[in-house]
Amino acid sequence: MLAFLFHGFCEHGAAFPDISYGFYKVFAQMFGIQAKQVPLRADFSVAVEDYAGLRETVFIANPNAPTGICLTRGEIEKLLRQDPARLVVVDEAYVEFGGESAAGLIGEYDNLVVTRTFSKSHALAGARLGYALANLKLIADLNTLRYSFNPYNVNRLSILLGAAAMRDEAYFAGLRSEVVSSREYITEQLRGMGFTVPESKANFVFAGANPKLGGADYYRKLRENGILVRHFDQPRIEDFVRITVGTREQMEILARTTKTILAGEA
Ligand SMILES: *Cc1c(COP(=O)(O)O)cnc(C)c1O
């Protein structure tokens, strides 16, 4: 879906935060689209006002990756109102973990596209299944693009799998609340150990800026202790790591290991 949106809906270029889902830059490059990267604020939140006056199609991961920070629906509305002729793509890959969805705004705003995936909250990344929500005219245009590329780009087994996963609400809700409670637990633990951890609405936390331990060192030490997290060797976030929220037990192991690392014993 995102590739189609970059390919067919960015005649004035694309604008997205300087720190966000890495594929936006890759898609822009691949389709020869001018990409404007708009800096996040110092606290890593999206400065919605900085998009006023931009004609480029806006791509906002909400919650954002790798920070987990989520804009409110009101802030998304501000983006939509800045220019009704400009498309705003709200990428809700992680929204089910506690973010506020913009899907309900589709009837009101013709310039809104919401994209979703089964890869994260439904743990079906191997199914390669995602979808877009928008007004009928936009969806018709997206379908035209899709049919020109490959009319059967989603296979039948994945569609059946996705539909079954969507229907199993109790299973979904149970696992989701486990992720959310493990996320709150590890956020509190890491903050208590001196890490800066923005409030995450995703299934990962972004932790760093600990005066006692740099981001690269933390990544390396965890790895030596059998725990793999993500470190981005990229300006502004090199002192942070992104930690996927696992089970409560895994998060307890992470907290314990981090304590030993900070004590210089691991
Ligand atoms: C994972 C992810 C996607 C899409 O993932 P697919 O597996 O290709 O469906 C889109 N946006 C963000 C921000 C993501 O993290």
Side-chain angles (χ1 to χ4, degrees):
M1 293 309 318
L2 289 171
F4 291 145
L5 288 160
F6 271 91
H7 191 180
F9 294 80
C10 288
E11 62 269 36
H12 299 300
F16 43 85
D18 62 339
I19 296 161
S20 193
Y21 185 46
F23 252 110
Y24 299 154
K25 230 182 335 187
V26 175
F27 283 139
Q29 264 166 14
M30 178 166 152
F31 295 117
I33 289 156
Q34 285 278 55
K36 180 168 280 171
Q37 288 176 265
V38 183
L40 294 179
R41 295 194 190 100
D43 66 359
F44 299 133
S45 59
V46 172
V48 164
E49 63 277 9
D50 291 351
Y51 292 79
L54 298 186
R55 295 180 73 207
E56 289 87 348
T57 298
V58 174
F59 289 82
I60 297 285
N62 201 45
N64 196 14
T67 64
I69 298 174
C70 197
L71 291 175
T72 63
R73 197 193 325 234
E75 287 168 306
I76 297 291
E77 277 201 90
K78 269 187 215 157
L79 272 176
L80 291 163
R81 286 202 186 125
Q82 282 168 355
D83 180 359
R86 179 193 67 187
L87 206 61
V88 176
V89 178
V90 181
D91 177 350
E92 295 191 347
Y94 299 102
V95 78
E96 315 255 36
F97 296 106
E100 217 179 334
S101 176
L105 299 171
I106 281 159
E108 237 174 297
Y109 296 94
D110 285 345
N111 57 332
L112 169 64
V113 181
V114 173
T115 59
R116 297 263 184 91
T117 176
F118 281 82
S119 293
K120 313 291 160 60
S121 49
H122 282 94
L124 288 174
R128 309 309 312 136
L129 187 62
Y131 57 98
L133 302 166
N135 69 79
L136 291 177
K137 268 174 79 179
L138 250 163
I139 293 294
D141 286 345
L142 270 169
N143 266 330
T144 303
L145 248 175
R146 179 164 83 107
Y147 293 141
S148 318
F149 181 74
N150 176 359
Y152 313 110
N153 72 329
V154 178
N155 72 69
R156 185 157 170 72
L157 287 179
S158 287
I159 293 172
L160 291 172
L161 201 58
M166 248 186 189
R167 278 193 211 102
D168 200 348
E169 285 172 24
Y171 177 78
F172 179 74
L175 285 183
R176 170 171 62 183
S177 73
E178 265 182 52
V179 170
V180 169
S181 89
S182 297
R183 180 184 72 206
E184 304 315 305
Y185 164 78
I186 196 62
T187 299
E188 208 174 293
Q189 289 287 313
L190 291 170
R191 281 178 181 163
M193 290 182 242
F195 290 90
T196 296
V197 187
E199 189 186 332
S200 171
K201 295 288 183 195
N203 62 338
F204 49 79
V205 295
F206 198 53
N210 190 324
K212 287 193 223 144
L213 181 65
D217 285 338
Y218 185 33
Y219 164 79
R220 193 171 42 78
K221 283 279 181 189
L222 284 176
R223 200 186 155 108
E224 282 169 18
N225 284 276
I227 299 173
L228 201 55
V229 299
R230 185 88 191 262
H231 177 251
F232 299 89
D233 199 6
Q234 184 187 326
R236 294 189 72 190
I237 56 170
E238 65 272 86
D239 204 20
F240 281 76
V241 299
R242 186 198 66 192
I243 304 168
T244 300
V245 173
T247 61
R248 172 73 185 219
E249 193 195 354
Q250 287 170 330
M251 294 300 96
E252 284 170 3
I253 294 170
L254 175 76
R256 263 203 313 276
T257 308
T258 303
K259 267 189 201 124
T260 22
I261 292 171
L262 284 167
E265 291 162 7

